[in-house]
Every structure is written in C-alpha cells, then in structure tokens.
Amino acid sequence: MNARSTNLLALGQLSAAKADAQAALLIAQQVGLQYMKAESTKRLGAIAAAEGDHRRAYELLAEADQLQGSRERSQSSERMLELTQRYRFESQQRQIDQLKIQEAQSELRLRWLWTVFVGSVLLFMLTAYFLIRQRRGNAQLAHLNSELQQSRNQLQATIDAVPDLLFVFDREGRYLDVRASHPELLAAPPEQLLGKTISDVLPPAAAKACMSAIAEAREKGVAVAQEIELILSAGSHWFEMSIALKKGRPLSDPRFVAISRDVTARKLAEQALHSSEQMFRAIVENSPDIIVRLDRNCRRIYINPAMQKLAGIDPSRLLGKTPMETY
C-alpha cells in the first residue's frame, strides 16, 4: 500500500494516496511492525507537506524518525542479544571442547601409563629370563671350559710324556708350532724356530728330505719313516720323521703334523752290528780253519773259503743240507 500511495502521490491524487498510507499504518499497528509503521508515517508526512500542512508534516516525519530509531534500537538490542547468546553458546562449546580435550588427554595419559606399566613388567620379565639364561649359560660355559682345560692338561701331559718331537708345518715348511720334552734335540730353541722354514734351519740334505715328506703327505695323507741326520751340540743325531696331513683344513692352506723320533741309539747299534758283521766276515773269510754255520736242523747256512777249498765242490751243493745228506 505504501508503494501505491507513493505512486498516487506522484500523480497528484493526494486523497487516495493519504487513504492508502493510513490503511498501511493501521495494518502496521495491528501487526506490530515498526518498520512498516515508520514508512507509513513518513508517507503521511510527505502527503501532509504536499497538502501544505507543514506543521503536520513535521510532526509526522519526527514521529517516523522516532519509530525508525526505535526500530533500529530494537534491531540493535536483538543483535546484541543474539551476539550475547552466540558468545555464551560458543563459550560453553569451547568449555565443552576443552573438557573433551582434557578427558581425551587424561585417557591418553592413562593409556600411556598402562602401556609403560605393562612394558615395564614385560621388560622386567624378559630381563629376568635373560639373566637366568645367561647365568645358566655361564655355568655351562664354565663347566665346558673346565672340561676343555682338563682335556688340554691331559693332552699336554701326554705330549710332555712323549719323548718324540712334535711340529706343525704349513705347505712351505714353516714352523707353526713346536712341542719338545727334550729341547736339546732341536736344531734351535723353539722361539727361534717359529715363523722360520725348514730350509732356514736344517742342512740342505735334511731340509730336502723333510720337504719331500711334506709333499708326500699332501698327496697321500701321510709319509712315514723318513730318516735325517742332524749335527747338534751333543753330536750327531739321527731322527725318523713321520708327517701326516691335518684334517679339517682347506687344501689351499694345509697344515702338517710331524713327529720326529730320536733313533740315534738304534742307528748306532745298527752301525755297530754292521761293523761287527764286517769284522766277523773278514776274520772268517781269511781264517785257514774250517768254519761252518748250521741252523737248528743242522743244515749248513754258511761255509768259509777254507771249507770250500777242502771239499773241492760247488758251495751250492753244501749249503742248505745236513752232513748226512752230503756224504
């Protein structure tokens, strides 16, 4: 109606415009809309001014401004109330959110404490388990070490009781280990032998024989009864050496165990026996007397040249026969 009143006022139809404005004001008063009341009052003021009633127009316009201000204050109050309620709601929501965060943090802290507690218990149990295992392992290790030490002591006692010399060589004949219950039978003290080769220590002939035995042991696994002669501080000594390839080693880096036995007494006895036999043979061969050796069955096993000359027959017809079988 205010819009139509505005159009009628523009057309100069003041009565119709005034009627529409009054009707709009009445409706606004009934409905209680401040904005429509202010607009309708302002429209009536404009119509009064057009009619020439400027005083009435002033009063109506002042009333319209008052209504407009009242409306704005009402809107401002409503806005403030809305903002206050929103602030209060947001504040409460923030408090709720903060409480939720605190509750979540408390729950996380509680979970963390439980996790730490359970982890500590598990760690304690694992530590106790490993300590028990370690103690048992240490006890077993100590027992094994004791048995190993006993075995080593027994082996060392056995080696010390053996009169033979014991060596360990590599493929080049280098001394890696030396065990000797009689160090005086060594070509040099043990500490001087270690790290040196056979060729560095022994005479050429003896070194050649030893290296030949090492080569044979590498090919066949063992080499036995290799005799060598060494000139030591106590005089000439003969040794019988046996060499074996040490098992469990790669062929590219073999180890050889050698046992050297002093056979000087046997060698001297053999030489003495040989000399005695040579002397006996020289005496018997040159004796003018008849000399005959018989076995237990009275068969001739030796006749000297005097017997051969006396018999005048081939010695082969006499040897191996008894006197009764010959004559």
Side-chain angles (χ1 to χ4, degrees):
M1 287 186 178
N2 283 328
R4 190 172 64 182
S5 175
T6 302
N7 293 331
L8 292 173
L9 179 60
L11 295 174
Q13 299 179 10
L14 299 179
S15 298
K18 186 176 181 180
D20 286 342
Q22 289 176 347
L25 178 60
L26 180 61
I27 294 172
Q29 289 175 348
Q30 292 176 353
V31 176
L33 296 176
Q34 295 293 330
Y35 174 74
M36 291 182 62
K37 289 170 65 176
E39 287 295 327
S40 298
T41 303
K42 187 183 294 184
R43 183 60 47 208
L44 289 172
I47 294 171
E51 291 176 341
D53 190 356
H54 296 288
R55 183 176 181 179
R56 180 61 180 167
Y58 175 77
E59 291 176 353
L60 290 172
L61 289 174
E63 184 181 355
D65 290 338
Q66 186 178 2
L67 290 173
Q68 184 70 26
S70 176
R71 175 179 176 273
E72 290 178 355
R73 285 193 300 273
S74 177
Q75 289 180 348
S76 177
S77 298
E78 291 176 357
R79 181 63 177 170
M80 288 295 295
L81 180 60
E82 181 182 357
L83 291 175
T84 302
Q85 291 177 350
R86 181 178 297 178
Y87 173 77
R88 186 177 300 170
F89 175 76
E90 291 178 354
S91 177
Q92 292 177 351
Q93 187 64 38
R94 283 195 300 271
Q95 291 179 357
I96 293 173
D97 293 340
Q98 188 174 4
L99 290 174
K100 288 182 178 179
I101 292 173
Q102 291 177 356
E103 183 179 359
Q105 290 177 348
S106 299
E107 185 177 357
L108 288 175
R109 190 178 297 109
L110 183 61
R111 289 183 180 179
W112 181 80
L113 290 175
W114 272 107
T115 302
V116 172
F117 174 74
V118 173
S120 301
V121 172
L122 291 177
L123 180 61
F124 174 77
M125 294 176 64
L126 288 175
T127 303
Y129 172 75
F130 282 114
L131 287 176
I132 294 173
R133 287 289 302 272
Q134 184 178 10
R135 180 173 296 180
R136 290 179 179 176
N138 291 338
Q140 293 177 355
L141 182 61
H143 180 68
L144 292 176
N145 287 335
S146 177
E147 291 184 349
L148 179 60
Q149 188 62 40
Q150 291 179 2
S151 299
R152 287 179 176 176
N153 293 337
Q154 292 177 359
L155 179 60
Q156 186 63 42
T158 302
I159 293 175
D160 293 340
V162 174
D164 300 336
L165 306 178
L166 179 64
F167 306 97
V168 177
F169 299 109
D170 62 7
R171 61 189 301 177
E172 298 176 353
R174 182 173 286 100
Y175 289 90
L176 301 179
D177 193 10
V178 178
R179 301 295 178 92
S181 57
H182 299 284
E184 67 275 6
L185 297 179
L186 295 173
E191 59 274 10
Q192 296 182 10
L193 292 177
L194 295 176
K196 293 183 179 180
T197 63
I198 294 175
S199 300
D200 296 334
V201 177
L202 302 184
K208 182 178 180 180
C210 291
M211 293 304 298
S212 176
I214 289 177
E216 182 180 353
R218 185 178 183 184
E219 180 181 355
K220 299 180 180 180
V222 64
V224 296
Q226 186 71 43
E227 291 186 354
I228 59 174
E229 183 182 10
L230 297 178
I231 305 300
L232 304 177
S233 59
S236 178
H237 279 259
W238 284 88
F239 296 91
E240 184 179 81
M241 180 173 288
S242 298
I243 300 179
L245 178 65
K246 191 175 182 180
K247 296 182 179 180
R249 296 283 305 183
L251 295 179
S252 59
D253 187 24
R255 295 289 184 269
F256 301 91
V257 178
I259 295 178
S260 180
R261 175 168 296 178
D262 184 10
V263 293
T264 304
R266 188 191 72 188
K267 201 71 175 177
L268 292 176
E270 290 176 353
Q271 291 177 356
L273 178 61
H274 181 70
S275 298
S276 177
E277 288 180 350
Q278 292 294 329
M279 184 179 297
F280 174 77
R281 183 174 293 276
I283 293 173
V284 171
E285 293 288 335
N286 296 299
S287 175
D289 298 328
I290 297 174
I291 300 176
V292 180
R293 291 181 62 190
L294 304 175
D295 62 10
R296 64 178 60 186
N297 295 319
C298 293
R299 290 187 175 87
R300 302 182 188 91
I301 58 176
Y302 173 78
I303 59 175
N304 68 340
M307 176 63 181
Q308 297 177 21
K309 184 177 180 181
L310 178 64
I313 59 176
D314 188 2
S316 61
R317 294 177 58 186
L318 299 175
L319 294 176
K321 296 180 180 180
T322 65
M324 297 298 296
E325 293 174 344
T326 305
Y327 301 101

